[in-house]
Amino acid sequence: MQVAMTGAGGAIGRVLRPYLLACGYAVRSVDVVPLTSLGETETVLQGDLRDPAVIDRALAGAQMVLHFAGTSVERPLPEIIENNLSALHQLYEGARRHGVRRVVFASSNHAFGMHASGKLLELDAPYRPDSLYGLSKVWGEAMSRLYWEKHGIEGISLRIGSALPRPTETRHLSTWFGEEDLRQLVRCCIEAGDVDCLAVWGVSNNTRRWWSNDAVSALGYRPVQNAEDFAGTILAAAASVDPVAFFYQGGTFAATDYTSRKGLPGG
């Protein structure tokens, strides 16, 4: 199977590239920075996804697209629009031109970051973005729905939590998405049968997790990592946290530029 992966030079891409090759996929890895091929079945491409010509080279012959490119932190709106909205639109238009079967889109927990910490969210929870970045992920999930409804391109929105080698702070006890589970879930997204359009929480099997993934068991995802294994060390070293970041699931994303006069519930 030919799999195209954007943002292949980023933190998640670096975890996935050798794994996907070991699984036997032919991978076309794309990034704005130069990459060195990791093997005979990987081709690399440098370019800007806002350029349709780059998109065409990236997607020619691909059955699946893993879209991990874009701005991944809070930035001024013009940058968010260019990297997370315009580039995604070009990607989907390219998927139409090349008959791509499925797009796996890197959504984010920050599309829901203004929900209170400790509240268990189902997959159909209402969007409550905590930032312009989170807002762009709401738009991206809606685009996934649009291109499924109108053009039959299957879409999986992967709502990524804290994708790290190990959890390092109290919030991560709920949001951690370990590398072993990341690799497993992405492979499930590639290998699954017909999915239409759906969303998945990208989170490990954390005892304190805030997101319920029960409905996606049909994908075959069975997370095995648990941030609770690190709880003792993390809690012993826990530092004081901004009360807004502590109260909302989005953490520091929610606290940044927070000016609400209503105050925190119970505050």
Side-chain angles (χ1 to χ4, degrees):
M1 181 186 295
Q2 178 75 50
V3 177
M5 180 166 61
T6 69
I12 290 178
R14 291 194 296 271
V15 172
L16 291 176
R17 286 173 65 200
Y19 173 72
L20 295 176
L21 293 173
C23 288
Y25 303 117
V27 180
R28 184 171 298 130
S29 296
V30 188
D31 209 299
V32 292
V33 299
L35 301 171
T36 300
S37 175
L38 299 180
E40 293 182 357
T41 58
E42 182 186 39
T43 57
V44 297
L45 171 64
Q46 182 181 5
D48 189 326
L49 296 180
R50 294 171 297 177
D51 182 348
V54 172
I55 291 289
D56 284 337
R57 293 198 298 274
L59 301 191
Q63 292 84 48
M64 300 276 171
V65 177
L66 308 177
H67 182 58
F68 293 104
T71 296
S72 60
V73 295
E74 182 69 331
R75 295 292 296 162
L77 184 59
E79 179 180 331
I80 294 287
I81 289 174
E82 288 299 313
N83 293 340
N84 291 11
L85 306 187
S86 297
L88 181 63
H89 179 247
Q90 289 293 346
L91 181 89
Y92 265 102
E93 283 298 292
R96 285 181 65 189
R97 291 193 297 274
H98 292 278
V100 171
R101 176 188 173 193
R102 180 179 302 161
V103 175
V104 180
F105 164 64
S107 185
S108 173
N109 70 96
H110 293 292
F112 304 85
M114 297 308 288
H115 284 281
S117 298
K119 180 179 180 181
L120 184 65
L121 303 184
E122 302 292 339
L123 287 169
D124 60 354
Y127 295 113
R128 293 183 64 177
D130 57 25
S131 53
L132 296 174
Y133 165 73
L135 184 62
S136 75
K137 297 304 183 177
V138 176
W139 195 86
E141 290 199 13
M143 178 163 285
S144 179
R145 171 62 61 180
L146 172 66
Y147 275 75
W148 161 248
E149 298 286 3
K150 294 195 71 173
H151 309 298
I153 299 173
E154 294 184 343
I156 300 178
S157 294
L158 187 56
R159 296 169 177 173
I160 297 171
S162 302
L164 299 164
R166 58 173 291 167
T168 60
E169 61 183 58
T170 302
R171 178 176 174 269
H172 296 165
L173 296 176
S174 301
T175 64
W176 186 48
F177 189 23
E179 291 182 350
E180 183 177 353
D181 288 336
L182 165 64
R183 289 188 286 262
Q184 181 201 157
L185 181 52
V186 169
R187 187 170 187 182
C188 287
C189 289
I190 295 171
E191 295 289 341
D194 296 341
V195 299
D196 299 348
C197 182
L198 57 83
V200 181
W201 294 111
V203 65
S204 288
N205 190 34
N206 305 323
T207 300
R208 310 183 195 207
R209 67 187 180 277
W210 294 329
W211 313 313
S212 173
N213 248 353
D214 294 344
V216 299
S217 59
L219 285 182
Y221 179 50
R222 302 289 187 272
V224 298
Q225 295 179 277
N226 189 342
E228 203 66 20
D229 294 340
F230 304 89
T233 302
I234 290 173
L235 295 176
S240 59
V241 180
D242 180 293
V244 176
F246 179 79
F247 183 82
Y248 290 110
Q249 294 193 8
T252 56
F253 278 68
T256 299
D257 200 31
Y258 184 89
T259 62
S260 176
R261 296 182 180 180
K262 65 183 180 182
L264 299 175

